[in-house]
Amino acid sequence: VGTSIARFMFLDGLAFKTWRMREGEWFEGTYVFDSEEERRSFRADFEPGADTSPGSKIIGSSPTLIEDWEVVAIAEGPAGFRRGAGPSVS
């Protein structure tokens, strides 16, 4: 988690990235860029090496779907966005 957060915190054009997972089932990275051009540029650089990206190596699987979509709105609640160490361990 620490490596990934550090890698993306200063990525030009990135508004935010979220990582979601259901343990043992799936893992997802969602990237939201400031503009369509910045998204297009990132995707053009990322997609050819996605199979060997650090995330693919960590989870042991290449992406099964890469798609473009639009964020319509974001409502940030009183707790704000969390920049934590990842899922808590019970």
Side-chain angles (χ1 to χ4, degrees), residues 16-60:
F16 65 89
K17 178 180 179 181
T18 59
W19 293 263
R20 298 184 334 135
M21 68 172 218
R22 184 166 298 201
E23 192 170 346
E25 294 183 35
W26 53 263
F27 184 87
E28 173 187 283
T30 300
Y31 303 77
V32 176
F33 287 90
D34 190 45
S35 72
E36 185 175 340
E37 180 54 40
E38 288 165 321
R39 176 180 64 195
R40 191 178 304 122
S41 176
F42 174 80
R43 184 171 177 173
D45 290 341
F46 174 77
E47 205 163 353
D51 292 347
T52 57
S53 72
S56 293
K57 289 178 182 178
I58 290 168
I59 63 171

Side-chain angles (χ1 to χ4, degrees), residues 46-85:
F46 174 77
E47 205 163 353
D51 292 347
T52 57
S53 72
S56 293
K57 289 178 182 178
I58 290 168
I59 63 171
S61 173
S62 300
T64 58
L65 175 66
I66 298 175
E67 66 180 350
D68 295 339
W69 47 271
E70 299 298 325
V71 172
V72 176
I74 298 169
E76 183 175 352
F81 285 106
R82 187 181 94 143
R83 285 189 182 162

